[in-house]
């Protein structure tokens, strides 16, 4: 359901960006209505905000937005990896919570980041975004590592399925993780639509989960 919501917002962003913003606002409002308490973590904002202001003042607005983009990708990846570890722990599969087992989940977003850097500069919702340019060899190596690690993970889950020992919740979450990051940033599509899709995926995932509190800044 969360992946479907992300795909819907991404499609809306291609056709009518204001509609995508309206859908995101609806998801956010739904999340706020479902929680008992709301906490804004200003301490988590301080570092990225200072870095973005410092870089933007010295290198320009596009570079400052690039800092925020990298920070958001890191935060969303960290959240997704932690969610996968939580689901694996709840399913009684602690072996799937180690950093070795979850390395593939970091490599797909890293590949997307290197591809964005290779194709920089970009425009996001009318704002410029720039990252340090990397040669084509960097995304090629990152992509090869991501494919290898993800293929190894898929083989292990296939073996678990054949043995009737597949933990479906963490496997489904990680599959959606790879799909959303590749579709958003790894295929070189519209970057604004990719960011909208990732925001919608996380908001919809949060909306579908019943929780007593919500931290606005991860």
């Amino acid at each position: 359901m969360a992946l479907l919501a992300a795909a819907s917002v991404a499609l809306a962003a291609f056709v009518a960006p204001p509609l995508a913003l309206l859908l995101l606002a609806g998801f956010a409002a739904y999340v706020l209505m479902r929680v008992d308490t709301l906490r804004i973590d200003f301490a988590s904002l301080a570092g990225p905000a200072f870095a973005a202001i410092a870089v933007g003042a010295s290198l320009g607005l596009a570079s400052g937005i690039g800092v925020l983009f990298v920070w958001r990708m890191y935060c969303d990846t960290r959240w997704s990896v932690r969610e996968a570890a939580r689901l694996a722990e709840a399913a009684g599969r602690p072996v799937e919570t180690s950093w070795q087992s979850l390395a593939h989940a970091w490599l797909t977003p890293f590949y997307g980041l290197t591809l964005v850097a290779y194709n920089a500069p970009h425009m996001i919702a009318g704002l410029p975004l720039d990252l340090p340019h990397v040669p084509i060899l960097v995304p090629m190596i990152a992509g090869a590592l991501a494919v290898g690690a993800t293929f190894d993970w898929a083989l292990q889950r296939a073996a678990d399925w054949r043995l009737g020992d597949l933990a479906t919740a963490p496997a489904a979450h990680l599959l959606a993780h790879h799909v959303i990051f590749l579709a958003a940033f790894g295929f070189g599509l519209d970057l604004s639509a990719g960011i909208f899709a990732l925001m919608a995926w996380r908001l919809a995932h949060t909306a579908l989960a019943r929780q007593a509190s919500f931290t606005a800044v991860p």
Side-chain angles (χ1 to χ4, degrees):
M1 291 295 294
L3 193 59
L4 179 61
S8 301
V9 171
L11 182 61
F14 276 117
V15 178
L19 176 61
L21 287 174
L22 181 61
L23 291 174
L24 282 176
F27 284 138
Y30 183 65
V31 170
L32 292 177
M33 288 189 297
R34 285 174 58 90
V35 298
D36 298 326
T37 59
L38 173 65
R39 182 173 65 91
I40 300 177
D41 193 350
F42 289 104
S44 297
L45 274 175
F50 176 78
I53 293 172
V55 172
S58 58
L59 299 179
L61 176 63
S63 297
I65 295 177
V67 171
L68 295 177
F69 172 73
V70 173
W71 173 65
R72 282 308 318 166
M73 280 199 69
Y74 167 75
C75 288
D76 289 331
T77 304
R78 182 184 60 179
W79 165 82
S80 183
V81 171
R82 288 180 174 177
E83 180 66 12
R86 184 189 68 81
L87 292 172
E89 189 71 33
R93 302 298 294 271
V95 68
E96 296 180 21
T97 64
S98 65
W99 70 268
Q100 297 97 327
S101 299
L102 294 171
H104 65 96
W106 287 95
L107 287 172
T108 301
F110 179 69
Y111 164 65
L113 180 62
T114 60
L115 194 62
V116 171
Y118 170 71
N119 291 320
H122 300 272
M123 293 295 293
I124 298 180
L127 296 174
L129 181 150
D130 197 11
L131 294 173
H133 181 75
V134 298
I136 185 60
L137 190 62
V138 174
M140 289 177 63
I141 293 175
L145 292 174
V147 168
T150 305
F151 185 69
D152 178 69
W153 167 79
L155 285 179
Q156 294 182 42
R157 301 293 76 79
D160 291 340
W161 175 75
R162 288 287 300 273
L163 295 172
D165 192 33
L166 177 65
T168 56
H173 175 80
L174 286 170
L175 178 60
H177 168 96
H178 289 299
V179 170
I180 193 68
F181 274 101
L182 284 176
F185 308 111
F187 293 153
L189 302 177
D190 183 76
L191 195 59
S192 297
I195 291 176
F196 283 0
L198 190 61
M199 294 172 64
W201 180 62
R202 184 167 178 183
L203 279 172
H205 195 283
T206 305
L208 293 171
R210 295 185 178 276
Q211 50 186 21
S213 63
F214 176 68
T215 302
V217 179

